[in-house]
Amino acid sequence: MLRNYLKIAFRNIKKHKIYSLINILGLAVGMAVCILIYLWVHNELSFDKYHEKAEQIYRVGPVVEASKIKLSWSPPPLAAALKNDFPEVLQATRLISSSYSRLVGYKDKKFLENKRLYADPTIFKVFTIPFLKGNSKTALSNPRSVVLTEKIAKKYFGDKNPVGESIYIQDPENLFQVTGIVHNCPFNSNLQYDYITTADFDEWGGWGSHCLFTYIVLPPDYSPARLESKFPDFIKRNLGEYIQLEYGKSIDEFFKNKDNLYEFWLQPIKDIHLNANINDTLPNKGNMSYVYIFSIIAIFILIIACINFINLSTAKSVNRANEIGLRKMIGSSKASIIRQFLAESILLSFISMLFAIVIIEILKPYYNNLIDKKLILEYFENPIILPGLIGVTLLVGIVAGIYPAFYLSSFQPADIFNGGNVGFKGKNLRSGLVIFQFTISIIILLGIFMVFKQTKFVQDTKLGFNQNQILVLHRANTALGNDLD
């Protein structure tokens, strides 16, 4: 029976070519835009979820002042103290990323690199960073060790195995031994790096120095609130000496002043990227508000495409009336006609999806360049993509075709052949749909116009100085002889 429905659907699509083409293109553009927005939204929501222990990893930061401002930077002694005081802290590591350009060299090859990650050796026990060469357990165990990404290793060493070789950073005398090669850093990671080096964080300061990030691993299904409830006593045990030396008073006297608030809080690693309220200088920071806004826009665009399909279908009802009348006269039931129109709608939706995929593949390079990301639609690698596309196609086909199917199947042969105004039934509904369609379109266009005006303002506003007379000197401290490694 399905085969017969599809045959009739194909025949009707070929018969009404212009009408079908308009419907297909309308749905295809709506689907393509919706999927492109979905790619961006999915990317934003996927940050740092690829780690095997993502559900267990938390960043520890202080809460300061009476207003309870949450910070992400933490003092160097924190990681060791947490590991020593709490058995539920399975692992702890410290790290800090640097975007400062440094001259990295190997023999006659020298390049400026700006994605360096300083880290404890335990970084590989906390985060999922797959090794291609070397041993993750010992890669950063010795001072002046460096782990390179596959991209950087290829850049300096070609196809040669670089493990055991040495590169210099900033100065030919400042050598680091290559101890491992890892996969390139995923683009949906907040910790962007091209190479990872050791650092003597213990020399960076004490409890009063907030200069790095501290990450811990808790047991599965362990509530972070349980650990946070133990932090007041932890602070008294570990910060008492620092408070006494720094402020000349005991920690109990210090905290009697309500303005002297100091606590610690745990932030799930999966929440870091979209939490715009925490200032942590990480690259590629996102904003959950934008995710909501663009998700709503995608849904509205798909709704507009479906409304366009409904309006075109009902507007063409006069042309289909005779066909429906004849089919009913020879014994076709209302249910049979509904199934037939739904089959046509779903078939048009599948054809539209094929066109949408073509549009996506054409626009994807320009889209990635516009949003400065490397988004891909993994049709076969990701097990949910194909079922997802098929599900969306079926949903769109049913949503777009359900009203026309019931509307057109309601025509009575007597009304059709006696000259009844069957084409005008549902006029009020069509008018309402058109008004809704144009309202949403105008809202989206106004939003785009406002964003354009704001961007234009930022680009054209006078900054109070002549930009043509300003020079930016990168790595100026090198020229002054004050460069650091």
Side-chain angles (χ1 to χ4, degrees):
M1 186 174 289
L2 178 61
R3 187 175 179 182
N4 291 332
Y5 284 137
L6 290 176
K7 280 184 178 180
I8 297 172
F10 269 115
R11 188 168 63 245
N12 284 328
I13 290 172
K14 288 175 67 177
K15 182 179 178 181
H16 307 284
K17 292 179 182 178
I18 301 299
Y19 155 78
S20 299
L21 182 61
I22 294 172
N23 259 338
I24 287 169
L25 290 179
L27 280 178
V29 171
M31 287 176 169
V33 173
C34 190
I35 291 171
L36 286 172
I37 293 176
Y38 160 79
L39 286 176
W40 179 83
V41 169
H42 179 265
N43 174 72
E44 290 295 290
L45 295 174
S46 69
F47 265 71
D48 293 319
K49 291 184 179 179
Y50 65 91
H51 296 291
E52 293 178 5
K53 302 174 183 176
E55 299 289 341
Q56 304 167 242
I57 301 174
Y58 295 84
R59 185 171 64 178
V60 190
V63 182
V64 298
E65 300 181 4
S67 56
K68 293 194 173 184
I69 299 174
K70 291 182 176 180
L71 304 177
S72 58
W73 303 90
S74 57
L78 177 61
L82 288 170
K83 190 75 168 62
N84 290 333
D85 285 25
F86 302 115
E88 57 264 52
V89 176
L90 305 180
Q91 292 292 343
T93 194
R94 301 169 294 182
L95 54 86
I96 187 67
S97 58
S98 172
S99 59
Y100 172 73
S101 295
R102 290 174 173 81
L103 186 67
V104 177
Y106 172 73
K107 294 184 178 179
D108 60 337
K109 293 183 178 180
K110 295 182 291 184
F111 301 97
L112 288 175
E113 307 293 351
N114 61 358
K115 291 184 179 180
R116 181 179 186 176
L117 189 66
Y118 295 91
D120 280 330
T122 51
I123 183 175
F124 305 116
K125 295 180 180 180
V126 175
F127 301 102
T128 301
I129 304 178
F131 270 68
L132 296 172
K133 298 182 187 300
N135 188 335
S136 62
K137 295 180 181 179
T138 59
L140 295 180
S141 58
N142 296 319
R144 295 202 170 274
S145 298
V146 60
V147 173
L148 307 177
T149 60
E150 187 178 10
K151 178 181 70 175
I152 293 296
K154 183 81 172 177
K155 184 176 180 180
Y156 288 90
F157 298 95
D159 296 327
K160 178 183 177 181
N161 183 358
V163 174
E165 298 287 340
S166 294
I167 62 173
Y168 67 83
I169 302 176
Q170 296 293 64
D171 188 288
E173 302 298 322
N174 190 31
L175 295 175
F176 286 75
Q177 185 179 42
V178 179
T179 55
I181 308 298
V182 296
H183 281 290
N184 294 328
C185 181
F187 61 84
N188 58 343
S189 170
N190 275 308
L191 302 175
Q192 292 296 312
Y193 53 85
D194 282 332
Y195 61 111
I196 306 171
T197 63
T198 53
D200 192 353
F201 289 130
D202 293 331
E203 294 185 357
W204 286 30
W207 284 102
S209 177
H210 297 78
C211 55
L212 45 74
F213 299 132
T214 300
Y215 290 85
I216 62 172
V217 178
L218 296 179
D221 301 321
Y222 184 92
S223 172
R226 288 178 57 189
L227 182 60
E228 287 177 328
S229 67
K230 302 176 183 179
F231 282 156
D233 292 336
F234 169 80
I235 290 171
K236 287 184 179 181
R237 286 196 303 271
N238 290 278
L239 271 75
E241 183 179 347
Y242 164 74
I243 296 294
Q244 185 68 48
L245 291 174
E246 185 72 17
Y247 298 97
K249 59 180 69 174
S250 69
I251 194 168
D252 290 328
E253 291 175 327
F254 178 79
F255 284 130
K256 283 181 181 179
N257 185 341
K258 294 183 179 180
D259 291 333
N260 295 333
L261 175 70
Y262 193 85
E263 300 172 349
F264 286 113
W265 72 297
L266 299 178
Q267 183 181 23
I269 188 175
K270 297 187 299 181
D271 294 348
I272 292 175
H273 177 66
L274 293 174
N275 194 333
N277 297 323
I278 307 300
N279 181 15
D280 49 22
T281 69
L282 287 173
N284 305 320
K285 279 288 286 184
N287 190 318
M288 195 64 191
S289 298
Y290 295 154
V291 171
Y292 289 135
I293 290 170
F294 283 104
S295 297
I296 292 170
I297 289 174
I299 293 170
F300 277 150
I301 288 173
L302 202 56
I303 290 174
I304 289 172
C306 291
I307 290 174
N308 189 61
F309 183 97
I310 292 170
N311 285 332
L312 285 172
S313 298
T314 54
K316 199 171 177 59
S317 59
V318 173
N319 294 26
R320 302 293 298 271
N322 290 335
E323 172 197 339
I324 296 166
L326 286 171
R327 291 183 62 186
K328 283 197 170 184
M329 288 181 66
I330 62 174
S332 294
S333 65
K334 182 178 179 179
S336 175
I337 294 173
I338 289 173
R339 287 194 291 268
Q340 179 58 54
F341 279 106
L342 282 177
E344 286 183 29
S345 174
I346 293 172
L347 181 59
L348 282 171
S349 182
F350 270 98
I351 296 173
S352 299
M353 180 58 77
L354 295 177
F355 274 85
I357 291 172
V358 173
I359 294 171
I360 290 167
E361 293 304 317
I362 292 172
L363 294 181
K364 196 163 58 179
Y366 307 100
Y367 182 63
N368 280 334
N369 186 57
L370 176 67
I371 62 176
D372 193 26
K373 291 184 181 291
K374 297 179 180 178
L375 305 182
I376 56 174
L377 196 58
E378 299 173 319
Y379 301 102
F380 303 104
E381 291 82 358
N382 191 326
I384 68 169
I385 293 297
L386 278 180
L389 291 177
I390 293 171
V392 168
T393 305
L394 287 171
L395 179 64
V396 170
I398 293 171
V399 170
I402 192 74
Y403 174 74
F406 277 90
Y407 171 63
L408 295 173
S409 65
S410 66
F411 292 171
Q412 298 300 320
D415 293 333
I416 295 170
F417 296 115
N418 288 332
N421 293 326
V422 293
F424 293 95
K425 291 180 180 179
K427 184 178 179 181
N428 291 335
L429 177 61
R430 291 207 309 274
S431 299
L433 290 175
V434 169
I435 292 171
F436 178 78
Q437 185 179 20
F438 274 97
T439 301
I440 297 301
S441 300
I442 290 169
I443 292 172
I444 293 174
L445 289 173
L446 285 174
I448 293 172
F449 177 74
M450 290 174 63
V451 171
F452 173 78
K453 292 293 289 183
Q454 287 293 320
T455 305
K456 189 73 173 171
F457 172 77
V458 171
Q459 292 174 341
D460 296 343
T461 189
K462 294 183 179 180
L463 301 177
F465 59 89
N466 187 348
Q467 298 179 66
N468 295 326
Q469 302 299 318
I470 302 294
L471 296 177
V472 177
L473 298 179
H474 296 283
R475 303 177 66 248
N477 53 348
T478 302
L480 299 174
N482 297 324
D483 211 0
L484 302 172
D485 68 343

